[in-house]
């Protein structure tokens, strides 16, 4: 099992460019998440998908869109990148919600916006 | 909104010492609390998950406790080793919605 995989690992964009970060999990999990991690801020939830076909905003959704393509895949799109979106982006998945909701993380995408 | 705090932000100990990392949260209405380890430039690795009905969980040299009423969790690491050097993060899952709230972590250095 690969667990949670993310592509690309690194990316440099210019302001205004767009890109899509890809995430896939092979654990048959229902829920998937996108976080960003910034120094001194901890991890903050951007969007999540509680189940296939549903998506919801997290704490910091502005400037991002998501697509839950199927049960395995959850993508994050930056339509017009800004320097403030320079960050490390993590995808995570979990079986569902509630007391047994253990999260598993991918290796991250390091994004720099110039 | 749930606030999660981890103090201290950094900790340095000699090899072999037992140590405790702290996590506090403001809202006791949680489903569970999860401890993670993050190595520099890497993703998060799950260490322990404590459900709200449990008081502690153990895995090898790690023991995590949960006191919901006081909004605290501790991660106890026994006989620390240089390989334990990493950042340790805690996250709480509130019992409404699917959001998780993370602390900013404690950076641990174990000196040989």
């Amino acid at each position: 099992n690969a667990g949670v995989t993310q592509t690309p690992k690194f990316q440099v964009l210019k302001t205004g460019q767009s890109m899509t970060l890809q995430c896939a999990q092979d654990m048959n999990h229902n829920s998937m998440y996108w976080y960003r991690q910034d120094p001194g801020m901890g991890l903050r939830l951007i969007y999540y998908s509680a189940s296939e076909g549903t998506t919801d905003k997290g704490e910091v959704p502005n400037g991002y869109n998501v697509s839950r393509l199927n049960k395995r895949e959850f993508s994050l799109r930056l339509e017009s990148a800004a320097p403030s979106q320079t960050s490390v982006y993590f995808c995570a998945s979990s079986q569902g919600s509630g007391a047994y909701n253990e999260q598993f993380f991918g290796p991250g995408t390091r994004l720099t916006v110039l | 909104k749930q606030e999660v705090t981890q103090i201290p932000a950094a900790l340095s100990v000699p090899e072999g010492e037992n140590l405790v990392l702290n996590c506090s949260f403001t809202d006791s209405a949680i489903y569970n609390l999860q401890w993670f380890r993050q190595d520099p430039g890497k993703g998060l690795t799950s260490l322990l998950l404590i459900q709200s009905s449990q008081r502690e969980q153990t895995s090898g040299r790690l023991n995590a406790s949960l006191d919901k009423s006081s909004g605290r969790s501790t991660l106890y690491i026994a006989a620390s080793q240089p390989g334990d050097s990493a950042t340790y993060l805690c996250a709480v899952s509130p019992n409404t919605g699917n959001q998780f709230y993370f602390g900013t972590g404690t950076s641990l250095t174990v000196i040989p």
Side-chain angles (χ1 to χ4, degrees):
Chain A
N1 281 357
V4 180
T5 57
Q6 293 183 235
T7 56
K9 287 188 168 51
F10 300 93
Q11 184 71 48
V12 178
L13 293 177
K14 294 181 180 177
T15 297
Q17 288 185 317
S18 62
M19 79 161 296
T20 300
L21 282 65
Q22 306 286 354
C23 174
Q25 52 90 11
D26 62 2
M27 296 174 281
N28 201 35
H29 284 170
N30 292 309
S31 300
M32 297 185 74
Y33 312 83
W34 277 106
Y35 292 91
R36 60 178 288 173
Q37 185 177 37
D38 302 291
M41 301 288 290
L43 275 87
R44 293 178 292 169
L45 185 65
I46 305 171
Y47 271 94
Y48 65 97
S49 171
S51 61
E52 187 179 355
T54 68
T55 60
D56 284 288
K57 295 178 181 179
E59 187 181 352
V60 288
N62 290 346
Y64 305 95
N65 286 300
V66 291
S67 295
R68 183 75 182 267
L69 304 169
N70 47 55
K71 192 171 185 179
R72 289 188 64 246
E73 298 172 289
F74 189 37
S75 62
L76 179 71
R77 182 160 179 84
L78 286 69
E79 291 290 352
S80 179
S84 61
Q85 294 178 304
T86 293
S87 188
V88 181
Y89 291 86
F90 288 102
C91 177
S93 71
S94 64
Q95 179 58 41
S97 60
Y100 303 95
N101 199 16
E102 185 176 8
Q103 295 181 91
F104 296 88
F105 278 75
T109 293
R110 282 144 188 83
L111 175 67
T112 301
V113 183
L114 302 175
Chain B
K1 181 195 157 197
Q2 177 78 265
E3 301 283 346
V4 182
T5 304
Q6 292 184 251
I7 295 173
L11 181 64
S12 185
V13 300
E15 182 177 3
E17 191 162 297
N18 302 326
L19 61 102
V20 174
L21 305 180
N22 298 296
C23 173
S24 61
F25 47 95
T26 54
D27 187 345
S28 62
I30 64 170
Y31 271 136
N32 62 48
L33 183 145
Q34 196 169 354
W35 281 95
F36 295 88
R37 169 190 174 130
Q38 185 176 29
D39 293 287
K42 304 290 186 184
L44 280 70
T45 300
S46 178
L47 296 174
L48 289 164
L49 173 76
I50 311 178
Q51 298 161 30
S52 61
S53 59
Q54 298 174 319
R55 290 197 62 85
E56 64 180 86
Q57 279 281 4
T58 298
S59 176
R61 294 183 294 109
L62 305 180
N63 176 277
S65 67
L66 174 64
D67 184 343
K68 262 184 32 171
S69 60
S70 66
R72 289 190 214 167
S73 176
T74 60
L75 179 66
Y76 174 83
I77 303 177
S80 58
Q81 303 170 357
D84 295 330
S85 297
T87 296
Y88 291 81
L89 297 148
C90 68
V92 297
S93 170
N95 58 11
T96 55
N98 275 62
Q99 300 216 20
F100 290 82
Y101 295 93
F102 279 79
T104 51
T106 294
S107 177
L108 173 65
T109 302
V110 181
I111 303 165

